[in-house]
Amino acid sequence: MAPPADLPVPDRRAFLAATGLAAVAGAAFSPTSASADASGADASVEEPDRLFKEGRFTAAERGYRRVLRQNPREARAAAQVGYIALLSNRFRTAESFLARAVRLNPRDVASKQRLAECFVRQDQLARAVPLLRQTGGQRDAAYATVFDHLPGTPWQIHGPAGTRVPFHTLDPVPSVEASVNGGAPKKYLLDTYATLDLSAQAAEEAGCARWPACREAWSTPIR
């Protein structure tokens, strides 16, 4: 289920903290916190871009917002505010600014992909479909077709509230044993950032070959 409004998701916050992105989430975005960057008369995206690359996301967001106050049609600033909001699970803000960025610059593929991700992470798959079909990417088009065929509410979890699952590999990402559509158990990669993705062979064996399969190239095979 999607979180209400812009409330952050605890599990996502823990993941961000573990990967060094904790500054993006939570109280770091308090509008009352002191500004770390100077306010110039003619705001540009150069300064907030620098802050963003340094990982100073709070200051970067303030800088991009200042640019937008002076030039509401600055597409990159809108895109970056939306991107920062998406990283911290503030979906309402992310949707508003990423949609604004796409309106200002219809050729902004990255913002279309991020806006689609914003919808997918809230289980609003139907809203993501047209955006994914506009990017020109083969993988995006495949996901659009898959999402278009998922009925009802996706990703419903049934069964015990908790269990233990052994990892078979850890590099490049963990792999676990699972069964799809009641088939024989196989090893599948477990990616905390990804959605369900089957190879052509796995999809055919699971009886869902009519859907497009997305192929990923991994440097280390699963053994």
Side-chain angles (χ1 to χ4, degrees):
M1 296 295 291
D6 285 344
L7 292 178
V9 177
D11 288 345
R12 178 70 172 173
R13 291 163 63 102
F15 171 75
L16 292 173
T19 55
L21 292 176
V24 182
F29 283 95
S30 171
T32 60
S33 58
S35 175
D37 53 313
S39 177
D42 297 316
S44 71
V45 296
E46 183 176 346
E47 176 66 8
D49 276 351
R50 179 183 64 80
L51 294 168
F52 182 86
K53 290 177 181 178
E54 292 175 355
R56 299 165 62 185
F57 300 108
T58 306
E61 181 175 1
R62 285 197 298 267
Y64 290 126
R65 287 179 179 271
R66 185 171 61 250
V67 171
L68 287 170
R69 285 195 297 271
Q70 295 193 10
N71 180 10
R73 298 191 61 79
E74 175 53 64
R76 174 168 173 75
Q80 288 296 96
V81 172
Y83 184 27
I84 292 172
L86 180 61
L87 288 174
S88 61
N89 293 320
R90 293 179 291 140
F91 296 130
R92 183 177 299 171
T93 299
E95 178 182 342
S96 174
F97 281 89
L98 289 171
R100 178 176 175 180
V102 171
R103 287 195 302 270
L104 292 171
N105 180 14
R107 294 179 296 178
D108 185 353
V109 171
S111 288
K112 289 180 181 179
Q113 291 171 325
R114 289 164 183 162
L115 183 56
E117 180 187 342
C118 180
F119 293 142
V120 169
R121 283 165 56 184
Q122 298 177 85
D123 293 339
Q124 300 176 16
L125 304 187
R127 301 181 70 188
V129 169
L131 289 162
L132 292 171
R133 286 177 172 160
Q134 293 172 21
T135 67
Q138 182 178 1
R139 182 180 175 83
D140 290 341
Y143 271 123
T145 302
V146 170
F147 293 157
D148 199 32
H149 285 77
L150 287 178
T153 303
W155 322 132
Q156 296 300 293
I157 300 175
H158 305 279
T163 187
R164 291 179 178 271
V165 179
F167 288 166
H168 291 273
T169 60
L170 294 175
D171 185 23
V173 290
S175 67
V176 297
E177 191 173 85
S179 173
V180 177
N181 282 355
K186 296 180 180 296
K187 294 184 179 71
Y188 292 87
L189 297 175
L190 179 64
D191 188 343
T192 57
Y193 191 74
T195 187
L196 180 63
D197 192 353
L198 297 176
S199 68
Q201 180 180 349
E204 184 175 358
E205 292 175 353
C208 51
R210 67 183 184 277
W211 287 1
C214 303
R215 295 175 175 84
E216 282 289 352
W218 299 97
S219 58
T220 304
I222 306 177
R223 302 187 188 279

